[in-house]
Amino acid sequence: MINLDNITFRYGHKPPVVQGLSLHLRPGHIYGLLGSNGAGKSSLMRLMAGLLYPTDGQIRVNEREPRRREPAFLEDLFFLPEEVDVPALTLAKYVATMSPFYPRFSDGQFRNYLKVFQLPADIGKLSDLSLGQRKKVFISFGLATNTGVLLMDEPTNGLDIPSKAQFRKVVSAALTDDRLIVISTHQVRDLDTLIDSVVVLNDHELLLNAPLEQVSQRLRFETSGRDIPADVLYAEPSLRGHAVVRENYDATDDTPIDLERLFNAAISSPQRMKTLFPDQKR
C-alpha cells in the first residue's frame, strides 16, 4: 500500500515538480502512471522508492517512510528505473550478488521469465547486452523478487513490438492480491489490456486516479461524424469522422477504453475530469 499525503517536491529553488499531491494506491492492482515528458512521473517513482525526499508532505509505503530506507522496506520494494546502471558482471554473478537482498526471490521464476523473453539463462556480461535485452533481464529479475511493491519507470523503452506483448503477459501473470505494481510510461498504448487503474499527472498535479471500471462507467469512447458533439471532453480526426471522449449518461452501457484518448481528454479538459471523478484522492 502506498499513501502520499499532500506531497510537494522541487529540485532546489526550481518550481515544484509535483505540488500538493495526495494519492492512495492499493495492493492487488496494476496502476498505469501516465504523463507527458517532464510531468513528474520519474520523480514521483523515486519519491516512493525513497531515492528522493519530499519538500513537504508525507509518504508511507507499507506503513514505512521511504526516506528512512529501512531493511524491511528495501526487501519488499523493487524499483526499475528508466535507465539502469549495468554492472560489468555476468548474469549469474549479478543474481548471486543481488538476490539475497530479496528473501522471496525465486530463481525458478527468474529463469522462466527469461525463457518467455527468449533470452538464454547463461548470459555473459550484462554490459554486452543491447538495451532491449538489458530491459528484459531487469524486468525478469524485478518480477522474480516477489516484492510487495514493484515500481517500473518506462520499462517498455527499448522493447520491440513482440517483446512488449511478452511484457504484458508476464506482468499480468505476476500480480497477486498482496502485490502492488506501478508502471510509469508516456507510451500509453503499451499498457493497453494490462493495467486496471490509471493515474494521470500533468502540470505538477494529479488529474485522474481511477479504476478503469469506473472510467468506463463515466466516459464513452466513440466515433462521431464530421460534427463534433458539444459535450465532448476530447476529439481528434479519424478516417470515419472524429474519435471522441464524452460523458457516459448510461453507466450500464460502456464502451472499450482507449488509454491514449483518455490521457488526452484529461489533459484537454482537466476541470471536467475532476468533476466527473470527484471521489478520487488527489
Side-chain angles (χ1 to χ4, degrees), residues 19 37 44-45 64 77 86 110 158 172 199 214 229 249 265 280:
Q19 186 169 22
N37 290 334
L44 185 58
M45 285 277 201
R64 299 182 183 274
L77 180 145
V86 182
F110 177 59
S172 61
V199 177
Q214 188 179 84
Y249 300 100
Q280 62 185 321

Side-chain angles (χ1 to χ4, degrees), residues 23-166:
L23 185 62
H24 176 60
L25 306 179
R26 298 177 291 115
H29 297 277
I30 301 177
Y31 290 86
L33 178 58
L34 311 182
S36 306
N37 290 334
K41 303 186 304 298
S42 295
S43 296
L44 185 58
M45 285 277 201
R46 291 180 178 275
L47 286 164
M48 294 175 182
L51 298 173
L52 295 174
Y53 306 153
T55 307
D56 292 299
Q58 186 179 60
I59 303 176
R60 306 286 289 185
V61 176
N62 292 333
E63 303 305 323
R64 299 182 183 274
E65 286 189 76
R67 65 187 305 161
R68 295 182 179 275
R69 304 283 288 174
E70 298 169 299
F73 167 80
L74 294 172
E75 70 182 22
D76 202 33
L77 180 145
F78 186 86
F79 172 53
L80 176 63
E82 179 178 4
E83 297 182 5
V84 181
D85 291 328
V86 182
L89 299 174
T90 64
L91 177 60
K93 184 65 175 177
Y94 176 82
V95 172
T97 302
M98 298 302 296
S99 61
F101 291 101
Y102 302 97
R104 294 191 295 276
F105 178 82
S106 169
D107 188 70
Q109 290 179 3
F110 177 59
R111 293 181 182 277
N112 182 63
Y113 292 138
L114 292 179
K115 185 177 180 180
V116 172
F117 280 124
Q118 300 179 339
L119 291 175
D122 58 348
I123 292 172
K125 285 188 176 182
L126 297 176
S127 55
D128 292 336
L129 299 178
S130 68
L131 173 61
Q133 290 173 322
R134 295 176 187 177
K135 280 293 183 79
K136 293 175 186 179
V137 166
F138 290 112
I139 290 169
S140 299
F141 185 86
L143 292 170
T145 61
N146 290 297
T147 53
V149 178
L150 176 59
L151 308 175
M152 293 187 281
D153 189 8
E154 302 286 357
T156 58
N157 279 3
L159 299 185
D160 57 21
I161 293 176
S163 297
K164 291 179 179 182
Q166 293 159 350

Side-chain angles (χ1 to χ4, degrees), residues 243-261:
V244 303
V245 181
R246 59 191 305 186
E247 186 172 349
N248 186 5
Y249 300 100
D250 182 1
T252 63
D253 181 22
D254 56 16
T255 56
I257 295 173
D258 184 308
L259 284 180
E260 189 171 294
R261 272 192 274 165

